[in-house]
Amino acid sequence: MNPLKALIPALLLLGLGLTYLLGNGSAPLWDRDEPRYAMTSRNMVTSGDWVVPRQYDKPRPAKPAMIYWLQATSMKLLGSGDFAARLPSALLMTASLMVLLAMVTAFENARTALWATFIFGTSGLALMLGKMAITDATLTCWVLIGWACLYRMWRGDRALRWFILYGLSGGLAFLTKGPVALGIHGMTLAALGLFNLLERRWPAKAPWQTYPWPGQDRQKSPPLWLGITVAAVIALAIALPWFVLVQQRAAGMLQRTLDHDLWSRLTKGVDGQARPPGFYWLFVWGTYFPWSLLLPAAAFFGWRQRHRPLTRFAFAAVIGPWIMFECFVSKMPHWFLPMLAPLAILTAQWLVSALDGKEPDLKANGFRMATGIWLLVVLGLAAAPVVGAMYYKPGDWLSTLTLSGWLLVWGMTTAALLFTRRSRAAFVAMGTGMAVTMVLIYTVWAPRTWYLQMPRQLGADLTAAGADEKGESLMIGFREPSLAWYQGGTIREAESGELLGATGPQFFTVDESIFNTLPRGAKAMFTVRSSRQGVLYAQSRSVKTVLLVERRSPVAPATRTPGVQAK
């Protein structure tokens, strides 16, 4: 084998791993959930309680403990900064790529594995969630390990080691996001069963059979019931201790966790996340970008080639969980991340076939039209930072033009390569360009975009004023978890009535519009220490001005001069 070719998988993983890391300490925590996870993890470090996750002073039932343990460990080693909070997601996203690469290499061939890993790793959602301090990259790693075990067992390789590994991944997944991984795998198996039923009406072009794993001796495999029992016992041994301990230390939290992550999301909208059926059919075009150009071809290829074992399994791993998540009333785009991995397998299989000249799609007029639409989307993305800089004045034009110029060059170059049928170079440019775009967003654009900086700035203002102890500051009309993260975690959310209390905290961060409604005499109680503008992401996502005000110390009655009003 050519030594250079042998290095390509390692170089691919290294490059994508660096992509997930670069800029993570420069761009602020901007998603409303990022600071919630980060603050809860930091509370674990400072309190020493690694059992009950707490946001502010209350138990946080949003997720089990795994993500907090990972982030808290990172903070213990690196300090409680943005980079440390995001590090577990970057590492687990890279680990997911390693699992996918090994899985497809073993089950099909190295060439398809490289393309599948490259496609998945450079899809928009994978790039974003590999750089965000939330649970999805971690969950995806455990789901992929479980899928690899399921595939082997489905093919007939039911050696005990695969049940053991499946139990390990299942227990870790349950500690990360509850029973969702079990639902993903269960719906994959359900879709495989549905395919068998559909074969009676629409048979595949080649006879379907289970294709037992080569060399597998079924006589030496343990009974299926024994393997399932072993996997269940291992999963319970990993997950159950934490659930028992958290129930003992925070009674009722377990029920709230399961209700928040399962029942409430299934039956009603949580945190404004109620979306109609078909949500993921619409958003996959954005979350899978730039590879959504190949989405129709990959889907048709998967159906046509469903007699091939890996194709059939990957198709089921997309369709089954997709249907499950569409049934939830609450829907979020990032929940779709695990399904992008099998979708990348289907895309890679089609792409390898197309590059070998076995698929007519690359030469079809329809594909050229789709390329034109893809280019228009990229040009729209290139215009977005410019429009933002013009709207949110004053804009940082150096970072804006750098990002927009790169998007313009990337889009035009990729489209030109596709139009001239230099397909291999075009698809390499497509994925590489998307990765570079994400790095530029995190290292160049976001750190210099003023309307994303308000929580950081207010946090620094509060620290400079000495408001770093519990009970010294409140948020009024500005309920951004990221402010609490940057301030140190001692600030609390409150209602506007707290401003007029006779006693209370010395410092307030208050929406300027609320402060301006106060009577003149009430305003005189405060000194405005700073004024910051930015986007209220966790609320209206509109630009507002937030004031840092300090309560003036009242003058004691015995020291007041008659006839002089206290200031």
Side-chain angles (χ1 to χ4, degrees):
M1 175 183 278
N2 187 326
L4 181 58
K5 287 188 176 181
L7 284 175
I8 290 177
L11 293 174
L12 174 62
L13 293 173
L14 177 62
L16 288 173
L18 288 174
T19 299
Y20 301 138
L21 289 171
L22 290 173
N24 287 359
S26 302
L29 302 185
W30 47 32
D31 179 83
R32 63 184 178 184
D33 284 330
E34 273 198 288
R36 291 172 179 169
Y37 284 110
M39 185 164 42
T40 304
S41 301
R42 182 173 60 192
N43 285 344
M44 275 191 171
V45 177
T46 56
S47 69
D49 182 359
W50 289 59
V51 174
V52 182
R54 297 181 185 275
Q55 181 182 348
Y56 299 122
D57 301 316
K58 298 178 181 179
R60 185 169 193 252
K63 293 292 179 294
M66 176 60 70
I67 186 63
Y68 309 118
W69 290 342
L70 294 173
Q71 291 180 350
T73 302
S74 177
M75 292 174 189
K76 286 278 285 186
L77 297 173
L78 302 175
S80 57
D82 296 346
F83 185 87
R86 287 167 166 159
L87 181 61
S89 291
L91 296 180
L92 269 296
M93 192 68 231
T94 306
S96 297
L97 299 183
M98 295 172 67
V99 174
L100 181 63
L101 180 67
M103 176 181 175
V104 182
T105 300
F107 301 160
E108 189 144 326
N109 59 68
R111 186 181 175 202
T112 303
L114 278 173
W115 277 111
T117 305
F118 181 62
I119 291 168
F120 176 52
T122 57
S123 61
L125 191 62
L127 286 167
M128 180 63 73
L129 295 181
K131 299 177 73 65
M132 293 182 69
I134 56 179
T135 60
D136 298 272
T138 302
L139 177 68
T140 297
C141 185
W142 314 139
V143 169
L144 282 174
I145 293 172
W147 263 330
C149 296
L150 275 182
Y151 181 75
R152 280 185 172 270
M153 292 185 281
W154 175 67
R155 289 284 306 276
D157 184 1
R158 294 174 183 170
L160 191 59
R161 61 181 177 274
W162 305 123
F163 289 98
I164 293 173
L165 184 57
Y166 185 78
L168 289 170
S169 66
L172 294 171
F174 211 94
L175 277 175
T176 301
K177 212 169 184 176
V180 65
L182 186 61
I184 290 173
H185 292 156
M187 288 301 293
T188 300
L189 295 175
L192 288 170
L194 178 62
F195 290 167
N196 289 338
L197 294 177
L198 293 176
E199 290 293 332
R200 301 175 183 177
R201 180 68 183 271
W202 296 286
K205 71 177 186 179
W208 164 251
Q209 53 182 330
T210 57
Y211 292 96
W213 195 263
Q216 173 63 24
D217 187 352
R218 291 176 179 243
Q219 299 299 322
K220 296 181 180 179
S221 299
L224 183 59
W225 66 266
L226 178 59
I228 294 174
T229 301
V230 169
V233 168
I234 292 174
L236 287 173
I238 292 173
L240 193 59
W242 176 79
F243 284 100
V244 172
L245 284 173
V246 79
Q247 186 68 7
Q248 291 175 346
R249 299 192 187 183
M253 183 175 168
L254 176 58
Q255 291 88 333
R256 294 195 300 272
T257 298
L258 293 176
D259 176 73
H260 182 276
D261 274 356
L262 184 61
W263 184 249
S264 292
R265 296 187 185 278
L266 181 62
T267 60
K268 59 186 178 182
V270 177
D271 296 331
Q273 297 169 3
R275 271 100 184 201
F279 173 81
Y280 291 107
W281 293 97
L282 176 64
F283 269 79
V284 70
W285 298 97
T287 56
Y288 199 45
F289 193 84
W291 301 102
S292 43
L293 172 65
L294 310 182
L295 186 56
F300 284 114
F301 177 88
W303 179 250
R304 292 197 317 267
Q305 299 292 323
R306 63 190 183 278
H307 60 282
R308 297 168 56 181
L310 184 58
T311 306
R312 192 182 192 90
F313 188 88
F315 201 64
V318 175
I319 296 300
W322 193 327
I323 293 172
M324 179 185 77
F325 282 116
E326 288 287 3
C327 292
F328 279 58
V329 175
S330 291
K331 298 180 180 70
M332 290 295 287
H334 55 78
W335 296 354
F336 202 76
L337 178 64
M339 280 71 79
L340 291 187
L343 187 56
I345 294 175
L346 296 176
T347 306
Q349 289 179 325
W350 172 84
L351 185 57
V352 169
S353 182
L355 292 175
D356 290 342
K358 299 177 182 178
E359 298 290 330
D361 307 66
L362 289 175
K363 298 179 181 180
N365 289 332
F367 186 79
R368 296 171 70 86
M369 291 178 59
T371 300
I373 296 172
W374 182 91
L375 176 58
L376 289 176
V377 172
V378 176
L379 295 179
L381 294 175
V386 176
V387 173
M390 296 173 65
Y391 182 78
Y392 298 118
K393 297 178 181 179
D396 183 87
W397 284 104
L398 179 60
S399 62
T400 296
L401 294 178
T402 299
L403 178 59
S404 295
W406 164 254
L407 286 166
L408 184 64
V409 170
W410 170 49
M412 296 295 289
T413 301
T414 303
L417 290 170
L418 285 171
F419 283 132
T420 56
R421 296 181 180 175
R422 287 176 283 180
S423 303
R424 193 186 312 275
F427 293 127
V428 170
M430 183 179 288
T432 304
M434 189 66 189
V436 172
T437 299
M438 193 60 66
V439 170
L440 289 176
I441 289 173
Y442 271 75
T443 60
V444 176
W445 180 77
R448 294 169 176 80
T449 301
W450 66 265
Y451 51 84
L452 299 177
Q453 312 303 322
M454 182 165 58
R456 270 185 174 174
Q457 294 169 343
L458 283 172
D461 293 342
L462 283 161
T463 301
D468 52 3
E469 295 293 331
K470 184 178 177 182
E472 290 183 336
S473 56
L474 292 178
M475 284 183 269
I476 306 291
F478 174 69
R479 300 191 175 186
E480 289 286 327
S482 51
L483 173 57
W485 164 251
Y486 288 116
Q487 180 265 346
T490 61
I491 194 170
R492 296 293 181 265
E493 300 175 0
E495 302 298 331
S496 57
E498 295 280 351
L499 274 169
L500 302 178
T503 61
Q506 183 178 358
F507 297 96
F508 298 85
T509 56
V510 56
D511 187 333
E512 184 182 48
S513 61
I514 294 177
F515 188 76
N516 288 339
T517 62
L518 296 178
R520 181 177 299 177
K523 288 182 183 178
M525 296 167 54
F526 302 96
T527 299
V528 177
R529 293 186 63 107
S530 67
S531 174
R532 301 291 187 179
Q533 278 190 320
V535 174
L536 299 181
Y537 183 87
Q539 293 175 273
S540 61
R541 295 177 175 82
S542 59
V543 172
K544 289 194 176 183
T545 301
V546 177
L547 307 176
L548 170 58
V549 299
E550 181 179 5
R551 189 194 300 270
R552 293 181 178 178
S553 300
V555 179
T559 63
R560 293 179 183 171
T561 303
V564 177
Q565 295 289 331
K567 293 185 179 181

